[in-house]
Amino acid sequence: MLFSLVGDAAAALGLALDAAHSGTSWNVTEVYVAGLVPPILFAPLIGVLADRWRARRLWIVSLLAQAVALGAATVLPALHFRIAMLAVAGVFGVAASAVGFKLLPDLAGTEHLSRANSAVSVANSASGLLGPALGATAHAIWGSTALLGFDTSSFLVIAGAAVIAVPASSAQATVKSHPFRGASAGFRALRESSVIGPMLPLLIGLMLATSIEGVAGVFYIRDVVGNDTWYGYVLACWALGSIPGAVLAGKGSLKGRQGQLVVIGAGMISAGLLVAGLVPNGFVIAAAFIFAGLGNGAHNVAVRNSVHSTVPETFHGQAWAAYSAMSRASVLIGYVLGTPNAALTSRTLVIASGALPLALTLGVSFLLWRRSAGQALQVAVGEPEAGQEKRGSLSA
């Protein structure tokens, strides 16, 4: 998996660098939009397929389809064609992610699910650390064709591993109905989750805020540290912190506290971004990013564990595809809002990217505390627990 994630990050960077060298700034925008918009549009339908078709078969088909799309991009060097193939691969990438999420309890076993989600998050963090560095180096030596070829081979390797490792009986289709009905079921399942539902505004706000910083920070942090090399080192601090955060969140002792980890992680991310904006010092920003990354790693694992534990198994694929669509939509909007302008400087936007989710974290924490206190009071005065609303509980 890490092999493929690093390949994806490196190939996307290679195309972005090709677009930047093409002389048209909109080509860079095209690369990022192609990686976001098609998956957003198709994610709900893909989630339905993940729950209503044989998961193993759909996973293998999705992996092979990504290999075909990227292989075509490797062979034909036209920039716009390559960007189009990146979009196709992104759509099938959502399918592979949704099915992989659905298959994980079968493959890892429910007793090891938290650790498995931790390992997935560690791989994602490591790819964010290794992919850009390796991609930039390889692009300078061999160009984007080699990067696309590497990414193609990674999906072929994973597809082969899936054929061998995933039993044919694993995660059979769980719903027998027309595959394109109920595309909104994934969003509904997230809203009805006892943990994720009450925190959806916080999760969306957090994804939006980090995307705003992702654009504004390019200008602000580079201005603070003085050059591109140090900017890259500061960015790497986030991924560096997220790896131990993901490992710690996978500990068995935290199994019943996933909801709390979602909120704590969100608070750490928000605080880190706020400090980074308030203190224009490279070393302070690096330390703040390590702290925020630590919270980000724990937050991501806790979200995955919470969806697995509070959403019915029959909706796992749809719920995760819906979450992926919300994530990409938030990123797309954040990229637009995070562009500095005459009214809002890059530093102001970075400060806002920390202040917004911090306010949401405090607000959601207060509301959930009030609900939990109300439930505790009902139990104390002798009202029956059966049938009580559990949406306010922070335990997953």
Side-chain angles (χ1 to χ4, degrees):
M1 179 180 177
L2 177 61
F3 182 44
S4 176
L5 289 171
V6 170
D8 278 349
L13 178 64
L15 285 183
L17 291 173
D18 283 351
H21 294 152
S22 69
T24 303
S25 59
W26 281 106
N27 285 344
V28 178
T29 304
E30 184 183 352
V31 172
Y32 289 115
V33 169
L36 291 171
V37 174
I40 292 171
L41 296 176
F42 286 97
L45 295 178
I46 289 170
V48 174
L49 297 181
D51 284 325
R52 298 181 182 179
W53 284 7
R54 291 179 179 269
R56 177 180 182 270
R57 183 181 301 170
L58 182 57
W59 197 23
I60 294 169
V61 168
S62 299
L63 293 169
L64 290 175
Q66 289 178 86
V68 170
L70 292 167
T74 303
V75 174
L76 297 176
L79 177 62
H80 295 295
F81 175 78
R82 285 183 164 178
I83 294 173
M85 290 299 99
L86 180 68
V88 172
V91 171
F92 284 101
V94 173
S97 176
V99 178
F101 184 86
K102 184 177 181 65
L103 284 170
L104 196 60
D106 278 355
L107 298 178
T110 54
E111 68 277 12
H112 301 300
L113 183 57
S114 184
R115 290 185 180 179
N117 277 322
S118 174
V120 172
S121 293
V122 167
N124 276 304
S125 297
S127 69
L129 189 63
L130 297 174
L134 294 176
T137 303
H139 184 271
I141 300 172
W142 299 296
S144 58
T145 298
L147 294 174
L148 290 165
F150 174 83
D151 204 16
T152 301
S153 65
S154 73
F155 283 108
L156 292 174
V157 169
I158 295 178
V163 171
I164 297 171
V166 182
S169 60
S170 184
Q172 299 289 342
T174 50
V175 180
K176 302 293 184 183
S177 65
H178 192 283
F180 295 109
R181 288 179 187 158
S184 63
F187 296 100
R188 188 165 59 250
L190 291 176
R191 289 197 307 270
E192 293 174 356
S193 162
S194 59
V195 174
I196 300 299
M199 289 190 281
L200 278 176
L202 171 59
L203 296 175
I204 294 171
L206 190 65
M207 291 184 285
L208 183 68
T210 52
S211 303
I212 290 173
E213 189 282 327
V215 175
V218 173
F219 302 94
Y220 168 64
I221 298 174
R222 285 173 70 249
D223 209 26
V224 170
V225 301
N227 61 66
D228 291 348
T229 302
W230 282 105
Y231 169 68
Y233 290 154
V234 171
L235 284 188
C237 288
W238 190 294
L240 199 61
S242 65
I243 293 174
V247 172
L248 291 172
K251 296 288 186 181
S253 58
L254 296 174
K255 186 176 181 180
R257 299 182 178 274
Q258 297 303 317
Q260 294 174 10
L261 281 178
V262 172
V263 176
I264 291 171
M268 293 175 68
I269 295 168
S270 306
L273 290 174
L274 187 58
V275 169
L278 291 174
V279 185
N281 178 280
F283 293 106
V284 173
I285 295 174
F289 272 23
I290 291 175
F291 179 77
L294 190 69
N296 199 177
H299 174 87
N300 289 344
V301 174
V303 168
R304 292 180 63 91
N305 284 334
S306 296
V307 174
H308 268 133
S309 62
T310 63
V311 171
E313 182 183 354
T314 51
F315 295 101
H316 276 175
Q318 293 169 84
W320 196 249
Y323 187 78
S324 297
M326 286 195 307
S327 174
R328 285 174 166 83
S330 299
V331 169
L332 184 62
I333 296 170
Y335 282 168
V336 175
L337 296 179
T339 304
N341 52 63
L344 297 171
T345 66
S346 59
R347 184 183 179 188
T348 301
L349 287 167
V350 172
I351 293 172
S353 76
L356 168 65
L358 186 58
L360 287 171
T361 300
L362 295 174
V364 168
S365 298
F366 177 71
L367 290 174
L368 294 178
W369 173 79
R370 286 192 62 182
R371 290 187 184 184
S372 296
Q375 289 173 358
L377 181 61
Q378 287 178 345
V379 174
V381 298
E383 292 193 16
E385 294 183 52
Q388 284 183 358
E389 181 61 55
K390 296 183 179 179
R391 287 177 63 86
S393 173
L394 279 181
S395 297

